Amino acid sequence: MADLLCRKLENFIELRGADRQALLGLTKNIVRLKPGEDIIQEGDAPRCVNLVLEGWACRYKQLEDGRRQIVAFFLPGDMCDPCVFLLDEMSHSLGSLTPLTLARIPQEEIAGIIAGNTTLSKAFWLDMLVSTEVQREWTVSLGRRTADERLAHLFCEICLRLKSVGLTNGHECEMPVTQADLADALGLSAVHVNRTLQELRATGFVELKSRRLTIFDQERLRALAMFNPSYLHLQRHTGN
Amino acid sequence: MADLLCRKLENFIELRGADRQALLGLTKNIVRLKPGEDIIQEGDAPRCVNLVLEGWACRYKQLEDGRRQIVAFFLPGDMCDPCVFLLDEMSHSLGSLTPLTLARIPQEEIAGIIAGNTTLSKAFWLDMLVSTEVQREWTVSLGRRTADERLAHLFCEICLRLKSVGLTNGHECEMPVTQADLADALGLSAVHVNRTLQELRATGFVELKSRRLTIFDQERLRALAMFNPSYLHLQRHTGN
DNA sequence: CGTGGGCTTGAGCGTGGTCAAGTTGGGTGG
DNA sequence: CCACCCAACTTGACCACGCTCAAGCCCACG
């Protein structure tokens, strides 16, 4: 569990034993949250980097009138911005979607690594670049993909990200979020997510049932979503 | 013109003379492009960092069937990812929207700065973090804002970004893109952008005419867009 | 056994898309 | 200097994807 971050970064760059040790040393200050709690809120000053160990979290923004948009999912092994603490205040909130275990890494430790360890400093840059790539792909989905394509694309992305840290074989994985959460991530209404899910299931490509996702036909799911895995930059290990 | 990057970064962090000199030294290898040309294409290996000096560029992705989504606008003073070259290949393209002047900065120069200059290294991190914040806000717009709100929000954002590098007083600025470009950025059709633009004009808040944007009532435009400038993290100079 | 959150279904509607036909206007060549 | 051209913009008619509201169902949990 503690080495998920290592596994994740090793998709991008080779780590030596000392680097791995340094990363493992970050896993302390463990915090547990219930589903639906905020990790940090818009307006707060970020003081530490949050590393997800178990469960799912999200980054979200809320408009004045209550409309909510989830802009990122955090899976086990994900860091919520290696360098947030450079900013004065959060312009969005982080919240748990499931029971959550996370490590709160003091900013000094991250800053120390960035100043003193070239490999890990590069790894953090790569991690940041890839998170940004994901954010861009979400922008594409919301701007130009239809509801079924959006869902299909998200499923492809999540499954591959979980695979890159060894949490799935690529055909079946956890999807422990409500349809309302999916709706807020995909820019749809919960009702429409429900109907689209049924439609996808009817095609036989994929099924989401009691918080588990099963992919029956990855080839065709990817074709439907127009999913091109290159934006995740995982080639070092998982290939596609 | 060459000091736009300095002005931009000084919104985030204080620069000393030597830092400023180092940045000014990056402005060479000047390239000029006509509107609609690609700077670099999806699949290419990034070898340098592109710095916009004059004109507008964009980052975009194209789906297999031709649907296009612009995921970012680059204005004068903007760098297209300080650290792209860490990635193996581009998962999107960069293109010009207007006649464009840019400096192609060799990756070694950026890498040298990041390795050797703490202040500028931090400045590049901040620049990257803020670009990502912008990307998130676009995700929110596409997911949860209506057509008129999206346009209004984009206008607020662009105008403030231009103000932060001294290219507008905040009430009137260049907007040298076609309605089709706006449509591709906002996840709308060109026809609907046209109609929404007329609607906004009818309210008297704002007008877009022959590539110039005029904001008549910033207060109400921001209210309509639910625009909160804090995500741009410009407080050091421009406040709001 | 009751409760409440999440899921499902139906009906009606509206925002925004598509297609197709003009219109405008800046730029070029004769 | 004018005529022409083409890209950008504009308008209308029609349509569909996805939203809202409302009611009912399922089932995990206390």
Side-chain angles (χ1 to χ4, degrees):
Chain A
M1 180 175 103
D3 73 332
L4 283 169
L5 177 57
C6 293
R7 274 195 252 169
K8 189 186 173 199
L9 295 181
E10 282 185 312
N11 283 295
F12 310 136
I13 194 170
E14 195 171 346
L15 300 180
R16 288 160 308 138
D19 303 324
R20 228 173 273 120
Q21 284 310 317
L23 290 178
L24 289 174
L26 299 176
T27 305
K28 50 196 177 194
N29 300 335
I30 306 293
V31 176
R32 283 169 209 284
L33 296 178
K34 290 194 284 285
E37 286 189 280
D38 275 341
I39 300 168
I40 184 171
Q41 293 190 324
E42 184 173 343
D44 293 350
R47 300 199 187 291
C48 52
V49 175
N50 293 287
L51 168 62
V52 175
L53 299 174
E54 277 184 289
W56 286 29
C58 72
R59 189 197 307 276
Y60 70 92
K61 287 197 154 196
Q62 197 125 18
L63 299 183
E64 294 153 20
D65 63 0
R67 278 177 274 176
R68 182 174 89 136
Q69 178 67 40
I70 291 178
V71 297
F73 284 130
F74 296 111
L75 316 182
D78 283 341
M79 264 183 305
C80 313
D81 289 334
C83 275
V84 241
F85 49 81
L86 292 178
L87 295 173
D88 45 318
E89 72 172 50
M90 300 290 290
S91 69
H92 55 259
S93 304
L94 305 180
S96 61
L97 295 168
T98 69
L100 191 71
T101 309
L102 44 83
R104 295 187 159 275
I105 309 173
Q107 60 175 89
E108 299 77 25
E109 298 202 27
I110 300 279
I113 286 178
I114 286 178
N117 183 320
T118 318
T119 306
L120 289 182
S121 165
K122 193 170 164 187
F124 287 158
W125 263 107
L126 281 162
D127 184 58
M128 181 74 190
L129 287 166
V130 171
S131 312
T132 306
E133 292 269 33
V134 171
Q135 193 71 60
R136 284 174 197 139
E137 195 63 49
W138 280 42
T139 307
V140 175
S141 279
L142 297 194
R144 290 298 183 219
R145 276 190 253 256
T146 59
D148 52 344
E149 293 164 355
R150 283 182 215 181
L151 264 166
H153 196 280
L154 181 67
F155 291 160
C156 292
E157 177 194 306
I158 295 293
C159 191
L160 197 44
R161 283 170 60 190
L162 287 173
K163 194 176 167 200
S164 78
V165 288
L167 291 179
T168 169
N169 58 17
H171 299 294
E172 200 196 3
C173 64
E174 296 287 327
M175 196 79 193
V177 295
T178 66
Q179 293 182 3
D181 293 330
L182 285 176
D184 283 344
L186 297 172
L188 300 168
S189 68
V191 171
H192 199 62
V193 165
N194 182 287
R195 293 188 166 121
T196 308
L197 238 22
Q198 292 177 53
E199 189 190 305
L200 281 180
R201 185 187 174 184
T203 66
F205 299 176
V206 74
E207 182 176 18
L208 177 58
K209 206 174 175 177
S210 55
R211 312 281 160 107
R212 281 202 80 75
L213 176 72
T214 313
I215 297 179
F216 297 115
D217 191 337
Q218 188 185 73
E219 203 60 31
R220 296 212 277 164
L221 186 69
R222 287 188 173 190
L224 168 63
M226 288 170 288
F227 179 80
N228 179 342
S230 69
Y231 77 99
L232 291 170
H233 299 276
L234 295 173
Q235 71 300 326
R236 264 194 87 241
H237 284 176
T238 47
N240 56 343
Chain B
M1 179 177 102
D3 72 334
L4 284 169
L5 177 59
C6 293
R7 273 195 254 170
K8 190 185 172 201
L9 296 182
E10 284 185 312
N11 284 295
F12 310 135
I13 194 171
E14 195 171 349
L15 300 180
R16 287 159 308 138
D19 303 325
R20 229 174 270 121
Q21 284 309 317
L23 289 177
L24 289 174
L26 300 176
T27 304
K28 50 198 179 194
N29 301 335
I30 306 292
V31 176
R32 281 169 211 284
L33 296 177
K34 290 194 284 285
E37 285 189 281
D38 275 340
I39 300 168
I40 185 171
Q41 293 189 324
E42 184 174 341
D44 293 350
R47 301 198 186 294
C48 51
V49 175
N50 294 286
L51 169 62
V52 176
L53 299 174
E54 278 183 288
W56 285 28
C58 72
R59 189 197 307 275
Y60 70 92
K61 286 197 155 197
Q62 196 126 19
L63 300 183
E64 295 151 20
D65 64 359
R67 278 177 274 175
R68 182 173 87 136
Q69 177 67 40
I70 292 177
V71 297
F73 284 130
F74 296 110
L75 317 181
D78 283 341
M79 264 184 305
C80 313
D81 289 334
C83 275
V84 241
F85 50 79
L86 292 178
L87 295 173
D88 46 317
E89 72 172 51
M90 299 289 289
S91 69
H92 56 259
S93 304
L94 305 180
S96 62
L97 295 168
T98 68
L100 192 70
T101 310
L102 45 84
R104 295 186 159 276
I105 309 173
Q107 60 174 91
E108 298 78 24
E109 298 201 28
I110 300 279
I113 286 177
I114 286 178
N117 182 320
T118 317
T119 306
L120 288 182
S121 165
K122 192 170 165 187
F124 287 158
W125 262 108
L126 281 162
D127 184 57
M128 180 74 190
L129 288 167
V130 171
S131 312
T132 305
E133 292 269 31
V134 171
Q135 192 71 58
R136 285 177 198 137
E137 195 62 50
W138 281 42
T139 307
V140 175
S141 280
L142 298 194
R144 290 298 184 221
R145 276 189 254 255
T146 60
D148 52 344
E149 293 164 355
R150 286 183 213 181
L151 264 166
H153 196 278
L154 182 66
F155 291 160
C156 292
E157 176 193 307
I158 295 295
C159 192
L160 196 45
R161 284 170 59 190
L162 287 172
K163 193 175 168 202
S164 78
V165 289
L167 291 178
T168 170
N169 57 15
H171 298 295
E172 199 196 3
C173 65
E174 296 287 329
M175 195 80 193
V177 295
T178 66
Q179 294 182 2
D181 293 330
L182 285 176
D184 283 345
L186 297 173
L188 300 168
S189 69
V191 171
H192 200 62
V193 165
N194 182 287
R195 294 190 165 119
T196 309
L197 238 22
Q198 291 177 53
E199 189 189 305
L200 280 181
R201 185 187 174 185
T203 65
F205 298 177
V206 73
E207 180 176 21
L208 177 59
K209 205 173 174 178
S210 54
R211 311 283 158 106
R212 282 202 79 74
L213 176 72
T214 313
I215 297 179
F216 298 115
D217 191 338
Q218 189 186 73
E219 204 59 31
R220 296 214 277 164
L221 186 68
R222 288 189 173 191
L224 168 63
M226 288 169 288
F227 179 80
N228 179 342
S230 70
Y231 76 100
L232 291 170
H233 298 277
L234 295 172
Q235 71 299 329
R236 264 195 88 239
H237 283 175
T238 46
N240 55 343

